[in-house]
Amino acid sequence: MDILLLGGSAFLGRAYAAEALARGHRVTTFNRGVSRADPPGVEAVHGDRTDLADLHRLVDGRRWDAVVDTSGQQPHDVATAARLLSGRAGHYGFVSSVHAFADWPARPVDADSATLDCPGDLPPDQPFANALKAGCERALRDTFDGPAAILNCGLLIGPHEPIGRLPWWLDRIARGGPVLAPGAPDRPISLIDARDFAAFGLDLAERRAPGRYLTTAPIGSATTGELLAACRTATGSDAEFVWTPDDALLAAGVSPWTELPLWAPATEGWHGTWRADPATALAAGLRVRPLLDTVTDTWAWLESGGRAEVSYRQLDTPLGIDPAKERELLGRP
């Protein structure tokens, strides 16, 4: 197949490129060429998807069996690309997010859950909002003339993760000693390796399968305790986990999700965080590798120079608890 990746140089796009090349497909990437080097083996076309001239230069005289859009954040940009690719691409796979669902993370969601209210015909350059992903979905459905799959992405982990949630835990646990562990070890979590996500997305493209697929690991497939234990195993650490109840952490002013990455307290507004149901994706063939394999591969990548790719930030918020604050909560000098 001839596959176009809108993006293709960082994390999920890179995973798509690697998997597509491994399957023998021909891959064209389209990105600005400023964040990461394009994977070896692809045809790299550099341009800005917000620039209509760059898009015309990309598509003129060309056709692809499938396009995968990992970089669409603005409804206007998705609509423009989808309109130009109609008749030039046999299938459009759009990577959306669980953030597009109106009830997430407060309540459980599945592929049939309502999405946030956001039109697909907004002007360009809208300020960041979770609802924009829902608008991107509507823009795609309204403009692409052909089968399209929407993949609502859960929490992605694995090598080349740029934000650094799993890398932060690996680095902290590698230092050893007492480690502030949030909540309870048996609390379920659902994390998906970017490589498994990409493999499933390509399966859909190869079958030209339409529809919506909430794409993450099965509910209850892992626990917080298993995640931290996998980090200890991968790093060979002597870390000792000090499990601390949600209410104690909240009372101490610890911020969920950022100061202790991936911590979603069992309180109002967070109950659905790890209850996004991927039943539709599983029925369509989604396969998820063991958590320990992902953690081990991520540690190997970090140790081989991967930290240069990690921001350890969520937007403008640094990830991770200050060591002095952690020691204070642990009652250690």
Side-chain angles (χ1 to χ4, degrees):
M1 292 175 62
D2 291 302
I3 297 176
L4 170 64
L5 295 181
L6 299 178
S9 64
F11 198 28
L12 183 57
R14 190 180 192 90
Y16 264 103
E19 178 68 18
L21 291 170
R23 296 185 184 196
H25 299 313
R26 295 169 295 276
V27 178
T28 301
T29 59
F30 179 70
N31 56 63
R32 293 177 299 166
V34 297
S35 59
R36 299 283 187 273
D38 292 283
V42 306
E43 177 198 2
V45 178
H46 290 156
D48 190 332
R49 68 177 297 162
T50 67
D51 187 317
L52 193 57
D54 284 354
L55 285 172
H56 277 292
R57 176 170 51 85
L58 168 69
V59 305
D60 280 351
R62 303 194 61 171
R63 191 185 186 285
W64 293 270
D65 297 296
V67 57
V68 176
D69 189 346
T70 65
S71 64
Q73 304 293 333
Q74 293 278 337
H76 179 272
D77 299 339
V78 172
T80 301
R83 189 176 296 111
L84 281 175
L85 287 164
S86 290
R88 293 184 172 97
H91 181 269
Y92 199 119
F94 178 70
V95 177
S96 185
S97 169
V98 290
H99 285 290
F101 292 113
D103 286 341
W104 192 88
R107 289 179 287 278
V109 294
D110 60 28
D112 294 323
S113 295
T115 56
L116 291 164
D117 185 15
C118 179
D121 58 354
L122 289 175
D125 300 323
Q126 297 295 306
F128 172 80
N130 289 334
L132 290 177
K133 277 293 191 181
C136 290
E137 296 176 9
R138 293 186 177 95
L140 173 61
R141 290 195 299 266
D142 291 345
T143 54
F144 184 70
D145 183 16
I150 293 170
L151 292 85
N152 293 93
C153 186
L155 199 288
L156 285 172
I157 57 173
H160 301 284
E161 181 202 332
I163 294 175
R165 298 182 181 100
L166 175 56
W168 184 87
W169 277 113
L170 281 162
D171 288 340
R172 171 61 192 93
I173 289 170
R175 295 198 298 271
V179 173
L180 187 67
D186 61 351
R187 181 167 298 165
I189 56 174
S190 300
L191 309 168
I192 184 167
D193 192 303
R195 296 167 294 183
D196 297 333
F197 187 104
F200 176 64
L202 287 169
D203 289 345
L204 298 177
E206 290 169 352
R207 301 198 304 264
R208 299 185 68 184
R212 179 191 297 281
Y213 304 87
L214 200 165
T215 310
T216 190
I219 295 173
S221 58
T223 65
T224 305
E226 289 169 346
L227 172 64
L228 299 194
C231 291
R232 181 166 56 192
T233 298
T235 60
S237 165
D238 65 353
E240 170 198 353
F241 303 129
V242 181
W243 293 97
T244 306
D246 293 337
D247 55 359
L249 294 173
L250 293 169
V254 179
S255 298
W257 206 252
T258 51
E259 275 194 283
L260 292 175
L262 305 177
W263 169 46
T267 56
E268 190 69 25
W270 294 92
H271 291 303
T273 304
W274 302 122
R275 297 195 61 79
D277 187 356
T280 303
L282 293 169
L286 172 65
R287 299 173 299 279
V288 178
R289 73 190 68 199
L291 180 60
L292 179 59
D293 291 357
T294 300
V295 172
T296 301
D297 290 350
T298 304
W299 178 244
W301 164 71
L302 285 172
E303 287 290 270
S304 65
R307 288 183 185 83
E309 298 180 34
V310 184
S311 68
Y312 296 98
R313 303 183 71 85
Q314 179 172 303
L315 299 178
D316 295 328
T317 304
L319 290 184
I321 190 167
D322 182 85
K325 185 174 181 178
E326 183 186 19
R327 288 194 298 271
E328 180 181 355
L329 288 168
L330 290 170
R332 306 296 171 103

